[in-house]
Amino acid sequence: MVSQVSAQSIWPNWQVVATSYPDSTYEAGVSGREDMTVCYVYKDTNYVYFRVERRESGAGFEIVVTIFLDVDQSQATGKTGTDNSLSLHDLGAEYKILLDITFAINLYIYRWDGSAWLVLSTAGSHAEDDNYNANIAIPLTTLANPSFPIDILFVCHYYTDYNPDTGHITYPSGLGASTPVPVGGQIKDVSTLELIASYLQSIAPYLLTF
């Protein structure tokens, strides 16, 4: 398994340690550069990490992504309904993360105070690769060190695409998530090297007979 990572320069090995949430594609009215294909979530002791992958990109890297977080999984304590024409589906979001890379680069983290969004910080980190994908890291302390699981909604706009299309996803477990591999009676993430090592160990007695 990948060791703990730092948001300053090292990102998780998404396919190995993160939980993936595939999204439907080619929805009506959604352009390719807003069309999410899969989102990832991962956390370590200091950060929670998000990755958004898209079907296409524009000329140069442009992306606008909003991530709503319902950290107590209760509609009663957060923003509900719509937010600047974006649907929050069934969330009561206490936090909003906005990454806007168009004419300038802006990463904002907001907290809902019961009547309005308050800007908490711009201290998160972001990176992009291949003109398609965006990575975001937010310090857990900025989110008041939430208890997990939390509920999440990804929105890529301006021609709006939601992941999931309805409802929300739950990290680290829940509907829409990839299924971790059971090992030794416990559920945990397993790296490719661990799987190969386990396989080679299982077939070693047969190899010695030849």
Side-chain angles (χ1 to χ4, degrees):
M1 180 180 291
V2 173
S3 61
Q4 301 295 336
V5 292
S6 166
Q8 276 65 43
S9 59
I10 303 172
W11 294 90
N13 185 335
W14 299 101
Q15 286 74 28
V16 174
V17 300
T19 304
S20 61
Y21 301 89
D23 187 34
S24 57
T25 55
Y26 294 92
E27 296 101 325
V30 177
S31 72
R33 66 180 182 178
E34 280 85 28
D35 196 1
M36 293 180 285
T37 57
V38 62
C39 298
Y40 293 89
V41 185
Y42 175 69
K43 80 172 185 73
D44 59 20
T45 56
N46 297 309
Y47 292 87
V48 58
Y49 304 84
F50 306 94
R51 176 176 172 86
V52 174
E53 296 189 2
R54 299 178 294 167
R55 180 165 56 87
E56 297 178 5
S57 70
F61 190 86
E62 292 185 1
I63 191 170
V64 182
V65 174
T66 299
I67 305 172
F68 294 105
L69 305 178
D70 186 349
V71 297
D72 64 2
Q73 300 183 295
S74 171
Q75 278 191 319
T77 54
K79 170 68 172 171
T80 60
T82 60
D83 183 64
N84 291 330
S85 78
L86 301 179
S87 171
L88 278 82
H89 290 183
D90 58 354
L91 286 189
E94 291 82 28
Y95 295 95
K96 176 173 71 170
I97 301 163
L98 172 63
L99 175 63
D100 184 346
I101 304 178
T102 48
F103 299 106
I105 300 174
N106 297 290
L107 176 61
Y108 297 106
I109 309 165
Y110 303 86
R111 179 179 60 83
W112 182 250
D113 74 346
S115 59
W117 291 111
L118 303 179
V119 178
L120 284 182
S121 173
T122 57
S125 301
H126 82 277
E128 61 274 357
D129 54 86
D130 301 328
N131 281 354
Y132 286 86
N133 312 313
N135 305 308
I136 301 170
I138 305 298
L140 290 172
T141 52
T142 302
L143 305 177
N145 293 305
S147 299
F148 287 78
I150 63 174
D151 294 335
I152 304 168
L153 176 63
F154 291 87
V155 190
C156 194
H157 44 112
Y158 294 102
Y159 298 100
T160 309
D161 186 27
Y162 294 91
N163 186 6
D165 296 328
T166 60
H168 61 269
I169 60 178
T170 300
Y171 175 82
S173 61
L175 184 64
S178 60
T179 304
V181 179
V183 176
Q186 296 181 337
I187 300 296
K188 69 173 189 176
D189 292 313
V190 178
S191 72
T192 302
L193 289 178
E194 287 177 305
L195 290 173
I196 293 174
S198 176
Y199 172 72
L200 291 177
Q201 184 179 19
S202 70
I203 66 172
Y206 303 99
L207 295 175
L208 293 176
T209 61
F210 292 96

